[in-house]
Amino acid sequence: MPNNSIKILFLSTLISGILISLCANSWMGAWMGLEINLLSFIPLLSSNKNMFSTEASLKYFLIQAIASSTLLFLILLKTNIHEMFYLTKIWMWNDYIMIPLLMKIAATPFHWWLPSVVEGLSWMNCFIILSIQKIAPLMLISYMLTNNLFIQIVIISSAFTGAIGGLNQISLRKILSFSSINHIGWMLTTMILGSNLWLMYFTIYTMNIISIMSLTATTNLSYISQSFNSMNNQKTIKFMLFIAMLSLGGLPPFLGFFPKWITIQFMAQNLMIFTSTILIMSSLLTLYYYMRMMYTTLMITNSEISWTISIYPKYMYSKMMMFSLSILLFGMLTSTLIMLMY
């Protein structure tokens, strides 16, 4: 929790903006909540310690302002000419209104702004933009999502863009941003299958993000090359970081595999064979660059000086590591038992 009263104020209004969007019974109320959320987050992005934060905050503001103005225009347009359309054509407006919402959550083909914005942010702001800021737009999308060609194209392109885009990255922030784009494809698929399923997927995704970013923020990791020779005196932290990444990629038996397992089962029952095949192939690509990073760090380029004195306190990370370890390793077992009970 930040000790700055101004940050606490903006975080409170940020959460209130999300709640306004979730509780609104009209599109204007939802738009107002999105605007409160946006204007509360912009001051949190600025930081004197990071020279890229101003550029990132300006990019984020421009993109979100364009999406919000487009959403407001479409809402007013739909309200005014709603009587002119037949019922068979109303579904087209749902797709149109979803376009600015898809831009807000960085779904393909509106994903181009996310990696460059995330690269200039602190780890706390990265967590907010990759998880909390997606709650309201995703909930609004779930109200009007239908299984049509437009959504299928967005799902498949998001899955492949997130998988292929992270292959040549060396920045951990960009890797996590492309992984977020890949997970957007999975979340949109779970929305088609049921609201409870996408809420479970989003919750477990957020838990994985918390585990990864708490470790990277504590150890000041930003690039893959920094993990080669760092944390050699604290091997448990290094293993925990890569376990969290493999869980985010969906490797069994870690917790991140559970929502993908349930999603694949529901897709098979609904005969969504082609979509499930694309999503599974994209997950294999994300696992590839996670495991490539892990093998490189732990086995190939890892070097350690034998007389190095440990500079870390002995129990500095014990509570955080045990909490993350218990969630990632035993969460899968607990979730499976709960599912079998029902």
Side-chain angles (χ1 to χ4, degrees):
M1 189 70 181
N3 54 6
N4 190 337
S5 59
I6 298 178
K7 288 187 176 181
I8 295 175
L9 172 64
F10 284 124
L11 280 173
S12 301
T13 53
L14 184 144
I15 299 299
S16 65
I18 295 174
L19 295 177
I20 290 172
S21 293
L22 297 183
C23 300
N25 57 1
S26 66
W27 279 108
M28 289 299 295
W31 174 83
M32 183 175 63
L34 291 174
E35 286 302 297
I36 294 174
N37 174 261
L38 169 63
L39 295 177
S40 302
F41 187 51
I42 295 299
L44 295 175
L45 296 179
S46 300
S47 174
N48 295 328
K49 299 179 180 179
N50 189 352
M51 65 179 182
F52 299 108
S53 61
T54 304
E55 179 187 356
S57 60
L58 181 60
K59 287 180 181 178
Y60 184 77
F61 173 74
L62 290 176
I63 293 298
Q64 297 296 317
I66 292 171
S68 296
S69 59
T70 307
L71 178 63
L72 179 62
F73 172 75
L74 290 173
I75 290 171
L76 296 176
L77 191 63
K78 181 180 180 181
T79 305
N80 292 330
I81 64 173
H82 184 273
E83 296 82 4
M84 298 172 58
F85 279 80
Y86 298 102
L87 292 176
T88 55
K89 295 183 179 180
I90 289 178
W91 64 269
M92 295 175 57
W93 282 102
N94 290 339
D95 291 342
Y96 293 152
I97 291 179
M98 273 193 292
I99 290 176
L101 296 174
L102 291 172
M103 182 181 292
K104 280 183 172 292
I105 62 173
T108 306
F110 314 106
H111 67 281
W112 32 266
W113 60 270
L114 184 63
S116 59
V117 169
V118 166
E119 182 66 20
L121 302 181
S122 64
W123 281 115
M124 180 61 187
N125 290 331
C126 283
F127 165 72
I128 294 176
I129 202 173
L130 292 180
S131 58
I132 297 177
Q133 291 296 94
K134 294 179 185 289
I135 296 175
L138 281 172
M139 186 63 75
L140 294 176
I141 289 173
S142 68
Y143 293 157
M144 51 188 174
L145 190 69
T146 56
N147 189 9
N148 54 29
L149 181 61
F150 172 71
I151 292 300
Q152 291 295 325
I153 292 174
V154 172
I155 289 172
I156 294 173
S157 58
S158 296
F160 266 126
T161 302
I164 297 174
L167 289 175
N168 60 344
Q169 301 297 329
I170 61 172
S171 171
L172 293 179
R173 287 180 174 86
K174 286 189 175 181
I175 287 176
L176 291 176
S177 67
F178 279 108
S179 175
S180 173
I181 296 170
N182 176 263
H183 283 282
I184 287 296
W186 284 89
M187 290 180 196
L188 293 176
T189 306
T190 55
M191 285 181 191
I192 296 173
L193 300 174
S195 60
N196 293 331
L197 187 59
W198 92 259
L199 288 174
M200 178 195 69
Y201 192 102
F202 183 81
T203 302
I204 295 179
Y205 166 75
T206 305
M207 293 165 62
N208 283 315
I209 288 291
I210 291 174
S211 301
I212 293 174
M213 293 191 175
S214 62
L215 292 170
T216 52
T218 307
T219 54
N220 292 320
L221 282 181
S222 295
Y223 297 93
I224 296 176
S225 57
Q226 292 178 347
S227 63
F228 293 165
N229 296 320
S230 63
M231 300 179 293
N232 287 327
N233 299 310
Q234 295 288 328
K235 295 291 179 57
T236 311
I237 304 173
K238 189 176 288 190
F239 278 110
M240 271 306 308
L241 176 61
F242 292 117
I243 285 175
M245 287 188 173
L246 293 179
S247 176
L248 183 65
L251 183 72
F254 303 125
L255 179 62
F257 173 67
F258 180 75
K260 293 189 176 183
W261 174 28
I262 303 300
T263 304
I264 293 170
Q265 181 179 355
F266 275 87
M267 283 192 290
Q269 292 175 356
N270 289 274
L271 301 178
M272 299 172 63
I273 306 301
F274 179 74
T275 306
S276 62
T277 304
I278 297 297
L279 291 175
I280 292 170
M281 291 172 61
S282 66
S283 291
L284 290 177
L285 287 175
T286 58
L287 275 174
Y288 167 73
Y289 58 74
Y290 286 143
M291 296 187 72
R292 180 184 62 181
M293 180 170 58
M294 181 183 68
Y295 284 138
T296 307
T297 303
L298 295 178
M299 301 178 64
I300 301 174
T301 60
N302 183 41
S303 62
E304 182 177 355
I305 303 174
S306 59
W307 60 82
T308 302
I309 301 174
S310 177
I311 60 175
Y312 298 99
K314 186 174 182 181
Y315 300 105
M316 183 175 178
Y317 306 110
S318 58
K319 292 182 180 179
M320 179 183 63
M321 286 192 301
M322 290 305 298
F323 177 73
S324 301
L325 184 65
S326 59
I327 288 178
L328 297 178
L329 293 183
F330 301 110
M332 176 72 181
L333 177 62
T334 306
S335 303
T336 307
L337 292 177
I338 292 174
M339 188 188 70
L340 291 177
M341 289 174 61
Y342 288 98

